């Protein structure tokens, strides 16, 4: 369980769930054990604050930070579980990810300390509200040694190599989960669930579930995941890509046909299911050494496996009697089997690569010869197969190999430097997990010279000038009252001035023919060295060179370096050309500005003239149009007036004739219509004039 400060309330809740968890699991299995471990992170920067007071109390009411602690090994004492969880120390760290992978690795491989049993379902519940560090992150804290995948718990259950080796990789976790048949359950908060769901795809037999805010549902998570694990069986293998392994089973359909499947679900205690595996060689490897392959077929989460030792027959028909390579009772098979195509087919009661093992004799010994002592229950260090009370180590791709009486040694897990095993050829050799250095080399990875000759100044004297120590062929300077000494041989005094100022004027007159010294003064005073002129001055730190840079009266920079050769003679290299600032042409800028102002003014005048001309032409066109319209209206009005006048005269003339209305005939409609017709033009003309 993650016991950083953010998980404080979860810890309190989990301590009260111990008995409930035990009761729930005892309903499923009568043989149930419970244990508890906690983790925070590596106690180095930047994961944990290393300020002295924070190393004691990183947060309020917090204990000192730690990597991983096996608080309680697997036990049936659930009341002690509740007490241990309640008393477990909550601590704090700096970054968001935690050191959970260190905890998972130790909880898996430390079988004796954790209390894993040989014949048991093994569930590892991983509870956190944060992400995880993995292989490579240790470099941030200066930890570059890869994780070795071994157990490093002391007597108190504390992880001792937290600050000595990197976090495990996802591949290492997956490998150890498969080797130890661990079912890993990630019980995480909703914010982290998607991350761990992706992680479970890369770790065999693992699952992920959402943890409530106070971890109250951890009992249900464990129970559900256990039911899923125990109610199904799934077969997998580690065969190479040259092989194809196909699985068939009837599962719970006793009389049904065989179906192509590697998994059966819905199983109960006592249910028996059978599987058949078909192994097909898809193609023969070009390398004949790969024609012999060993792989395992195993059920996920169960500590059992079937080892298949396969020899591909790619070039000769030697299976049948009489063929080349077929011999019965062959010496290669201890005279107890048939030699077929380079492989022994043992007689009944015999087994082993060379039929050297007798079934009855091996059963009496029980495989004791494959373990170094009675304290371990792992045969052949977990890296080989016990055959006839002898360890046959797992094969590796050359030049890697596993060897030893109990497969305890290898030639590939030693320390590395710059990615090279034991610093590469010529430095040392990896033997049984440790670097054996050649003459003249030392160190864990044989990367350091054992001689101190490279730490002695060229002119002789003390090692590192008496101001430092020689480590790995280089001087590590001391810090004294006047400051820290520096230089390749710690020859530079921190309070002593350099020679840059002393050489300044000589460089000016010798290289650039400038400065306060005349030609005669330069020839007389600058005789201790002759500068080497180069295009570009670069400091060579391996030669312990000193860089000097100055500016002359014209603000031009000149650069040079000085050092001393093996005989103590001054050597100076100076840059060929001065680095002067670019010249500024003030007169050109002034004329340019004036010319730009004049051009802009002319452009504005031309634009104003164009707009004025366009406006004048529009006004003149408008005036012409209005003048023509006014002339037409005058003629029209004159014509209308004459028409109206003529109509009026006719009207009054008729009116005068018919002035006596009574003299008009009563039904003389003709005359009335004539009068009205004369009135109509008057009304029309008045309407048009308005």
């Amino acid at each position: 369980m993650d016991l950083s400060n953010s998980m404080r309330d979860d810890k309190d809740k989990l301590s009260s769930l111990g008995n409930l968890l035990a009761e729930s699991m005892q309903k499923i299995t009568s043989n149930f054990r419970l244990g508890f471990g906690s983790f925070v992170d590596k106690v180095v920067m930047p994961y944990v604050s290393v300020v002295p007071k924070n190393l004691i109390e990183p947060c309020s009411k917090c204990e000192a930070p730690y990597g991983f602690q096996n608080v309680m090994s697997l036990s049936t004492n659930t009341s002690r579980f509740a007490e241990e969880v309640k008393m477990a120390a909550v601590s704090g760290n700096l970054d968001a990810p935690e050191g959970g992978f260190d905890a998972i690795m130790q909880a898996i491989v430390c079988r004796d300390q954790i209390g894993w049993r040989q014949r048991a379902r093994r569930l590892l519940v991983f509870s956190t509200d944060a992400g995880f560090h993995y292989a490579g992150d240790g470099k941030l804290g200066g930890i570059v040694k890869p994780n070795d995948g071994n157990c490093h718990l002391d007597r108190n259950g504390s992880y001792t190599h937290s600050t000595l080796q990197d976090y495990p990789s996802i591949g290492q976790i997956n490998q150890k989960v498969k080797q130890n048949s661990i079912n890993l359950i990630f019980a995480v908060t909703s914010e982290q669930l998607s991350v761990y769901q992706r992680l479970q795809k890369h770790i065999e037999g693992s699952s992920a579930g959402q943890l409530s805010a106070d971890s109250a549902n951890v009992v249900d998570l464990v129970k559900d995941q256990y039911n899923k694990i125990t109610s199904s069986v799934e077969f997998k293998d580690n065969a190479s890509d040259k092989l194809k392994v196909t699985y068939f089973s009837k599962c719970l359909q006793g009389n049904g046909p065989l179906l192509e499947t590697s998994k059966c679900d819905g199983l109960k205690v006592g249910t028996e299911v059978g599987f058949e595996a078909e192994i097909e060689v898809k193609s023969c490897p070009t390398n004949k050494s790969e024609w012999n392959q060993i792989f395992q077929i195993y059920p996920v989460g169960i500590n059992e496996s079937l080892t298949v030792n396969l020899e591909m027959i790619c070039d000769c028909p030697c299976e049948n009697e009489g063929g080349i390579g077929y011999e019965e009772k062959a010496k290669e098979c201890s005279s107890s089997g048939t030699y077929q195509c380079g492989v022994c087919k043992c007689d009944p009661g015999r087994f082993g690569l060379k039929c050297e093992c007798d079934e009855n004799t091996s059963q009496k010994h029980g495989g004791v010869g494959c373990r170094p002592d009675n304290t371990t229950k792992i045969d052949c260090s977990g890296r080989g197969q016990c055959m006839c009370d002898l360890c046959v180590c797992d094969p590796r791709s050359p030049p890697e190999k596993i060897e030893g009486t109990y497969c305890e040694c290898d030639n590939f897990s030693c320390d590395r430097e710059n990615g090279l095993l034991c610093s590469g050829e010529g430095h040392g050799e990896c033997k049984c997990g440790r670097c054996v250095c050649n003459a003249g080399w030392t160190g864990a990875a044989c990367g350091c010279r054992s001689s101190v000759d490279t730490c002695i100044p060229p002119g002789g004297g003390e090692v590192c000038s008496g101001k430092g120590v020689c480590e790995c062929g280089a001087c590590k300077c001391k810090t004294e009252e006047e400051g820290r000494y520096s230089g390749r041989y710690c020859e530079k005094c921190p309070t002593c001035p350099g020679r840059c100022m002393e050489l300044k004027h000589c460089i000016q007159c010798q290289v650039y023919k400038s400065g306060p010294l005349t030609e005669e003064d330069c020839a007389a005073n600058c005789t201790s060295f002759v500068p080497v002129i180069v295009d570009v001055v670069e400091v060579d730190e391996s030669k312990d060179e000193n860089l000097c840079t100055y500016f002359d009266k014209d603000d031009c920079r000149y650069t040079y370096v000085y050092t001393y050769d093996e005989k103590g003679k001054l050597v100076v290299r100076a840059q060929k050309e001065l680095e002067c600032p670019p010249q500024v042409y003030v007169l050109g800028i002034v004329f340019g500005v004036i010319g730009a102002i004049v051009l802009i003014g002319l452009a504005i005048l031309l634009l104003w003239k164009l707009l004025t001309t366009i406006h004048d032409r529009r006004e003149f066109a408008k005036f012409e149009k209005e003048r023509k319209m006014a002339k037409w209206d005058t003629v029209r009005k004159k014509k209308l007036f004459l028409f109206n006048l003529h109509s009026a005269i006719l009207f009054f003339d008729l009116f005068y004739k018919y002035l006596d209305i009574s003299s008009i005939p009563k039904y003389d409609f003709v005359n009335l219509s004539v009068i009205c017709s004369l009135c109509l033009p008057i009304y029309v003309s008045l309407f048009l004039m308005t």
Side-chain angles (χ1 to χ4, degrees), residues 81-376:
F81 171 83
E83 183 180 349
E84 292 287 357
V85 174
K86 188 175 182 179
M87 295 176 58
V90 173
S91 187
N93 61 332
L94 293 178
D95 61 342
E98 315 291 3
F101 272 21
D102 276 344
I104 291 175
M105 178 61 76
Q106 295 304 303
I108 292 175
V109 300
C110 297
R111 297 176 59 173
D112 295 335
Q113 293 90 331
I114 301 299
W116 296 117
R117 290 173 292 167
Q118 187 71 18
R119 297 289 180 180
R121 288 278 188 177
R122 304 168 188 171
L123 273 67
L124 180 60
V125 184
F126 181 82
S127 176
T128 184
D129 63 349
F132 49 85
H133 284 297
Y134 52 89
D137 286 358
K139 293 181 180 179
L140 294 173
I143 304 172
V144 297
K145 185 176 180 179
N147 194 286
D148 58 10
N150 294 326
C151 179
H152 297 289
L153 295 184
D154 60 15
R155 293 181 179 179
N156 298 321
S158 297
Y159 180 35
T160 59
H161 282 51
S162 176
T163 59
L164 300 179
Q165 61 182 12
D166 198 4
Y167 301 97
S169 65
I170 295 175
Q172 284 179 300
I173 295 292
N174 183 49
Q175 181 187 20
K176 295 301 180 181
V177 162
K178 291 194 294 184
Q179 287 180 355
N180 294 273
S181 302
I182 301 289
N183 293 111
L184 188 56
I185 302 173
F186 298 112
V188 297
T189 54
S190 57
E191 295 82 2
Q192 301 295 330
L193 183 60
S194 60
V195 176
Y196 285 90
Q197 284 176 338
R198 293 197 295 271
L199 177 62
Q200 77 177 46
K201 298 178 181 178
H202 301 283
I203 299 180
E204 188 175 286
S206 65
S207 58
Q210 183 172 337
L211 194 66
S212 61
D214 59 355
S215 298
N217 66 333
V218 68
V219 175
D220 294 332
L221 278 177
V222 174
K223 185 170 64 175
D224 293 344
Q225 296 301 327
Y226 181 81
N227 287 332
K228 290 180 182 178
I229 293 169
T230 56
S231 64
S232 66
V233 60
E234 181 180 7
F235 275 90
K236 288 194 174 184
D237 57 79
N238 57 0
S240 68
D241 57 352
K242 301 295 183 182
L243 304 176
K244 179 183 178 182
V245 183
T246 308
Y247 300 95
F248 300 90
S249 178
K250 298 179 181 179
C251 290
L252 299 178
Q253 306 297 326
N255 298 324
L258 283 172
L259 301 176
E260 184 178 337
T261 179
S262 61
K263 184 177 182 180
C264 289
D265 297 316
L267 307 181
K268 297 180 180 180
V269 176
T271 304
E272 181 177 336
V273 292
F275 284 86
E276 293 185 11
E278 179 183 281
I279 304 172
E280 176 187 352
V281 179
K282 295 192 295 184
S283 61
C284 286
T286 55
N287 188 354
K288 289 188 176 182
S289 63
E290 297 179 4
W291 288 1
N292 293 328
Q293 296 193 8
I294 299 176
F295 65 95
Q296 282 78 36
I297 297 175
Y298 55 91
V300 176
I302 300 177
N303 190 24
E304 295 180 359
S305 65
L306 170 68
T307 301
V308 180
N309 190 338
L310 175 69
E311 180 180 353
M312 303 180 189
I313 302 175
C314 295
D315 60 351
C316 59
C318 53
E319 304 98 326
N320 302 320
E321 184 178 355
I324 300 175
Y326 183 93
E327 182 181 355
E328 296 181 354
K329 302 295 182 182
K331 294 181 180 179
E332 292 85 353
C333 302
S334 305
S335 301
S336 300
T338 303
Y339 193 65
Q340 292 179 313
C341 302
V343 178
C344 290
K345 182 179 180 180
C346 301
D347 296 337
R350 306 285 292 188
F351 65 95
L353 293 177
K354 298 180 180 180
C355 303
E356 71 275 17
C357 300
D358 184 271
E359 186 177 19
N360 297 325
T361 304
S362 298
Q363 288 178 351
K364 292 179 182 179
H365 288 84
V368 176
C370 297
R371 303 172 192 166
D373 49 50
N374 293 331
T375 61
T376 179

Side-chain angles (χ1 to χ4, degrees), residues 395-590:
R396 301 278 297 193
S397 300
E400 295 182 357
K401 61 181 179 179
I402 300 173
E403 56 188 356
T405 304
Y406 308 106
C407 302
E408 73 278 10
C409 294
D410 63 64
N411 66 344
F412 54 82
S413 62
C414 296
D415 290 334
R416 298 173 183 264
E417 186 166 315
N418 297 326
L420 299 176
L421 190 68
C422 298
S423 300
E425 188 177 354
H427 288 244
E429 184 179 358
C430 182
K431 293 184 178 180
C432 204
R434 298 187 63 183
C435 289
V436 178
C437 302
N438 296 339
W441 298 96
T442 185
C446 301
C448 297
R449 293 186 180 273
S450 56
S451 172
V452 296
D453 294 343
T454 55
C455 297
I456 299 176
E462 298 182 62
V463 175
C464 298
S465 304
K467 302 297 182 181
V469 293
C470 186
E471 293 184 0
C472 202
C475 287
K476 185 177 181 180
C477 303
K478 298 178 180 177
T479 301
E480 298 186 354
E481 293 182 358
E482 60 269 23
R484 183 178 180 275
Y485 280 78
S486 60
R488 183 175 180 180
Y489 305 104
C490 301
E491 76 281 4
K492 292 184 180 181
C493 171
T495 58
C496 302
R499 299 191 64 181
C500 285
M501 183 62 72
E502 175 188 344
L503 305 175
K504 172 182 176 182
H505 298 314
C506 289
I507 291 294
Q508 280 186 286
C509 69
Q510 288 179 319
V511 180
Y512 308 111
K513 309 301 180 185
S514 61
L517 297 181
T518 63
E519 187 175 351
E520 292 78 11
D521 292 339
C522 186
N525 299 320
C526 304
T527 58
S528 60
F529 68 94
V530 177
V532 179
I533 299 175
V534 295
D535 293 333
V536 179
V537 170
E538 293 181 351
V539 179
D540 188 350
E541 295 182 355
S542 63
K543 296 182 179 180
D544 198 23
E545 294 183 336
N546 299 273
L547 178 67
C548 306
T549 301
Y550 291 100
F551 291 87
D552 62 13
K553 62 180 181 179
D554 296 326
D555 203 25
C556 294
R557 186 176 72 172
Y558 55 97
T559 306
Y560 57 95
V561 295
Y562 73 90
T563 185
Y564 299 91
D565 60 14
E566 297 179 354
K567 297 180 180 180
K569 184 179 179 181
L570 180 65
V571 178
V572 180
R573 291 187 294 113
Q575 189 162 304
K576 181 179 181 180
E577 301 291 340
L578 292 169
E579 296 181 12
C580 298
Q583 295 183 1
V584 179
Y585 298 98
V586 179
L587 190 61
I589 294 174
V590 171

Side-chain angles (χ1 to χ4, degrees), residues 616-671:
D616 290 346
R617 289 185 177 181
R618 287 180 176 176
E619 291 295 326
F620 180 75
K622 183 177 179 183
F623 169 75
E624 285 292 324
K625 181 178 180 181
E626 290 178 351
R627 187 175 62 81
K628 291 180 180 179
M629 291 293 294
K631 182 177 179 181
W632 177 86
D633 191 52
T634 302
V635 175
R636 184 173 64 86
K637 287 181 180 179
K638 285 180 181 181
K639 291 181 179 179
L640 185 60
F641 176 74
L642 292 176
F643 174 75
N644 290 337
L645 180 60
H646 181 262
S647 299
I649 293 171
L650 290 176
F651 171 74
F652 287 112
D653 183 55
L654 292 173
F655 187 74
Y656 175 75
K657 289 180 181 181
Y658 296 98
L659 183 61
D660 187 3
I661 301 300
S662 60
S663 64
I664 301 174
K666 187 174 183 179
Y667 299 102
D668 193 352
F669 293 104
V670 176
N671 294 328

